Amino acid sequence: HRDLHSFPTRRSSDLIPRDASATVPTKRILILFPYESNIPGFLNFDASFRSALAVSSEYQFEFFVECMDLTRFPDERYYDKLMELYHEKYSNLRLDLIVANLRPSLDFLERYGPESLRQVPVILSEQDPRLLGAPLEVPVAAVVTDVLDLEGTLALAMRLHPDVRNVFVVSGASRFDRSLEEMAREQFRNFESQVDFHYLSGLPMDELTQRASQLPQHSLLFYM
């Protein structure tokens, strides 16, 4: 026989695990991305950004992500409808921060953004300072950039393939693609005495795939 009264009594609330996150404030972050959602660079950015904030002990974070697909649907009516939707979704939700991933996101927010979003602090994230383009018209809390080392990438490729004689550079037709091509031309000047460059820019997909399938020997395809 054991004396039950010898065990300390416990309140029912002590048996329920406490949620530490309930004691810290929540910050709501809207991430805007101008292209479709399956681009590897954006997936890496999104995962890294969330992981970096997850270690915070001062706040918990709620994320909202909008991949706007602006290139595949370049229509003013689509843009207007898109921002009508965002106004409907976020006008009554207190956002603490907007992260504009890549300059087109910021330009789109400036031109089409409803007043409810214009009052929220913005951070601009860009791949390279040279892709920022014209001076910013929207006041931002911070600009965070990386550096695209196109020259280093090509140097590595040529060390791995020392018999390369031709480099075919593939890029698209959008303003962003044209900026990338300009950067490539600038950074690749130091290699012009070693290889011949051919720029396959803004071609229809059928023509691009046909030309890429018929490259001469000792060629390197540099996909922007």
Side-chain angles (χ1 to χ4, degrees):
H1 177 73
R2 302 178 67 186
D3 183 4
L4 297 180
H5 295 287
S6 65
F7 292 94
T9 59
R10 306 178 74 180
R11 295 172 299 177
S12 60
S13 60
D14 293 332
L15 302 178
I16 304 175
R18 289 192 175 90
D19 182 4
S21 65
T23 63
V24 298
T26 297
K27 297 294 184 180
R28 297 185 177 92
I29 300 176
L30 171 62
I31 301 174
L32 297 178
F33 185 62
Y35 309 123
E36 58 267 33
S37 60
N38 60 349
I39 293 180
F42 175 69
L43 296 177
N44 291 335
F45 166 84
D46 186 50
S48 299
F49 184 64
R50 292 171 186 255
S51 176
L53 294 182
V55 300
S56 172
S57 59
E58 298 182 10
Y59 304 100
Q60 60 179 336
F61 296 92
E62 186 175 5
F63 297 95
F64 303 86
V65 179
E66 301 290 351
C67 295
M68 299 182 286
D69 219 350
L70 303 181
T71 302
R72 293 195 295 181
F73 300 96
D75 181 82
E76 291 284 335
R77 185 170 180 272
Y78 170 73
Y79 298 162
D80 290 335
K81 292 294 184 181
L82 198 61
M83 275 307 179
E84 284 182 19
L85 173 63
Y86 294 165
H87 176 70
E88 183 71 22
K89 290 175 68 173
Y90 301 115
S91 60
N92 294 322
L93 183 67
R94 184 182 177 278
L95 293 172
D96 296 285
L97 178 68
I98 294 175
V99 176
N101 190 260
L102 305 184
R103 177 64 186 265
S105 294
L106 186 69
D107 293 340
F108 186 73
L109 182 64
E110 159 63 14
R111 184 170 181 181
Y112 298 96
E115 192 64 28
S116 57
L117 295 184
R118 292 173 182 266
Q119 306 302 317
V120 182
V122 177
I123 289 178
L124 171 62
S125 171
E126 184 52 88
Q127 295 182 77
D128 191 283
R130 291 162 291 187
L131 294 174
L132 290 174
L136 303 179
E137 298 182 6
V138 182
V140 296
V143 177
V144 181
T145 65
D146 206 336
V147 176
L148 288 175
D149 187 9
L150 305 181
E151 184 176 0
T153 302
L154 181 57
L156 173 60
M158 292 179 62
R159 286 199 300 271
L160 296 173
H161 304 280
D163 61 343
V164 166
R165 298 294 176 265
N166 296 278
V167 175
F168 290 82
V169 183
V170 176
S171 61
S174 70
R175 184 181 68 178
F176 176 72
D177 289 305
R178 293 195 298 270
S179 298
L180 284 177
E181 182 185 341
E182 291 175 6
M183 288 177 54
R185 289 179 180 272
E186 177 184 343
Q187 293 195 39
F188 292 164
R189 286 199 184 105
N190 294 333
F191 299 90
E192 291 177 350
S193 61
Q194 305 174 52
V195 296
D196 293 327
F197 286 93
H198 313 269
Y199 289 86
L200 307 180
S201 307
L203 299 177
M205 186 58 68
D206 290 344
E207 182 179 348
L208 176 60
T209 54
Q210 181 182 11
R211 294 187 62 175
S213 69
Q214 299 174 349
L215 301 184
Q217 290 186 341
H218 310 301
S219 293
L220 179 72
L221 196 65
F222 197 108
Y223 181 73
M224 299 294 295

